[in-house]
Structures are given as C-alpha cells and as structure tokens.
Amino acid sequence: NIQIASSNPTTNTIQGPNNVLYGGALYYNCYNRDAVCRFNLTTKSVTSLQLPKGTRYNSKGNFCHLEDCYVYTDLDLATDESGVWVVYTTTQALGNLVLSKVEETEPPKLGKTWHTSVYKRSVTNTFMACGILYATRYIDANVDEVFYSFDTMTGMENFKVGIIINKVSSNIFSLNYSPLDQMLYAFCDAKMVSYKALFGYSDHYFS
C-alpha cells in the first residue's frame, strides 16, 4: 500500500536505472545527490549514505560506449553474497572506477573502499559476485563482453576476463547478480533478461 505520486516529487526520488533490493530494503541513487538512499520496505522510511567529496553525480560520471553514454548511471548499486556495494567515480580518481562496501547499519555507512585503474567511461556496466567486481564493455549491438575484474580480497586486476554476453537488445542499462539464485539480471532497453552464472573454467559465456 505505497502511494505512487502522479509527478516527480524530487524528494527521495530514484535517479538512474542501477538499483537493487537487498535485506528488505531498496538501495538507489538519491535524486540530484552524490548519495545512496535506502528505502526500508517494512517501516517505509528513507535513510541515506553520503559518498566522498568529489563523487561525480547527476549524469557527470556515466557508463559509456563509443561516443554514447547511459544517462544517470553515475552510481551503480550491486549485490553479492556479502551484501550491498556501490560503484562510482570521483574527481580524485580521475574518472576511474571506485568501489565501496555499503554497511547495513541504521543509517547505512560507507565501509571499505577500493580504487581501480579502469576508466569508467570505457565501461558499460558492472556487477559483483563473490567479492569480485566485474565490468563490461560494448562490442556490438548483439554482444557485450565482461572484460575486467577486480578481486577485493587480493586487490588483483584482470583486463582479460573474456566472457561474452549475448544480448537481446543493443543497450544494457542495468546489470546485477543475485546470490539467491546465482542469476545475472539485465535490463536491456525495454526488456528484462536473466542469465545463469556458471562459476568455473569450462564455460565462458552468458547467453
């Protein structure tokens, strides 16, 4: 019984497509702010987590491919077995991906932060699985590639992951891994698509 406003009320509004549901709460980019909002489904209350000074927001730090960018993708919320993460960039990081753990306190807090050497505008999307950050890039209208990974346990980066994602539509605006069913969920233009994630060395495709 949540009332939906007939117009954009700006306050506590979701900005951008990269939102996740975890632990009875919806996490999203707060409207026109460099912050993560959390909507508690039980109490119907909203709390927020301020990101570091210099965080790019309001469509100034988007995911991109070629010369096109996905608007309002400054903050990418992600989930894996350990909880909620946020991927973003800052002026201090010179546009490279920054990854932070979101601590599920009340209100939420920013946990450990990692800095990568991959430029955010060269990435079309990211997702987390088993404490590893994965990044995709655009190949063509039918294919994206998981080309990069960052292991939060070791700090190791890999630019040659080489996992192909066969798309049903040209643009993937949102990509997130669910630890509940080990599925990768994508929002492609007007379509919702799911991929089974197989962990191992024998399969190199999401299709």
Side-chain angles (χ1 to χ4, degrees):
N1 296 324
I2 301 173
Q3 185 177 357
I4 304 299
S6 59
S7 61
N8 188 343
T10 70
T11 304
N12 298 330
T13 300
I14 295 172
Q15 182 165 285
N18 296 309
N19 317 301
V20 294
L21 189 66
Y22 187 89
L26 179 69
Y27 293 80
Y28 59 93
N29 185 178
C30 306
Y31 178 80
N32 199 28
R33 289 179 57 197
D34 51 346
V36 174
C37 278
R38 181 176 67 188
F39 175 72
N40 188 307
L41 298 178
T42 302
T43 65
K44 309 297 188 293
S45 61
V46 177
T47 51
S48 65
L49 163 62
Q50 179 64 47
L51 292 175
K53 184 178 180 181
T55 295
R56 293 179 178 174
Y57 68 103
N58 213 12
S59 218
K60 295 182 177 65
N62 294 321
F63 290 129
C64 302
H65 70 81
L66 303 176
E67 295 183 357
D68 193 18
C69 291
Y70 302 134
V71 296
Y72 301 111
T73 55
D74 311 85
L75 273 59
D76 186 14
L77 280 302
T79 58
D80 72 353
E81 293 78 3
S82 66
V84 180
W85 307 76
V86 58
V87 182
Y88 55 103
T89 189
T90 66
T91 54
Q92 297 91 328
L94 303 178
N96 288 349
L97 288 179
V98 178
L99 171 68
S100 293
K101 188 73 173 62
V102 177
E103 301 296 341
E104 299 169 63
T105 55
E106 192 62 54
K109 295 180 181 178
L110 199 66
K112 188 173 180 180
T113 294
W114 295 262
H115 291 79
T116 77
S117 57
V118 63
Y119 189 50
K120 191 170 189 287
R121 289 176 67 91
S122 69
V123 171
T124 51
N125 230 295
T126 61
F127 64 93
M128 294 291 299
C130 304
I132 298 175
L133 172 70
Y134 294 93
T136 62
R137 63 184 171 192
Y138 185 93
I139 301 299
D140 58 38
N142 301 309
V143 171
D144 265 28
E145 177 193 9
V146 181
F147 76 100
Y148 171 84
S149 67
F150 179 90
D151 191 327
T152 59
M153 292 295 293
T154 64
M156 296 291 293
E157 294 182 289
N158 181 4
F159 283 86
K160 298 181 179 180
V161 177
I163 300 174
I164 298 301
I165 299 179
N166 295 311
K167 299 182 290 186
V168 298
S169 191
S170 180
N171 299 305
I172 297 180
F173 293 102
S174 178
L175 188 63
N176 192 59
Y177 168 75
S178 171
L180 295 177
D181 54 13
Q182 295 188 327
M183 298 289 286
L184 193 63
Y185 291 92
F187 174 65
C188 305
D189 294 314
K191 300 177 178 69
M192 292 296 296
V193 186
S194 61
Y195 304 88
K196 182 63 179 176
L198 302 176
F199 296 94
Y201 297 100
S202 61
D203 194 316
H204 296 281
Y205 287 85
F206 290 112
S207 59

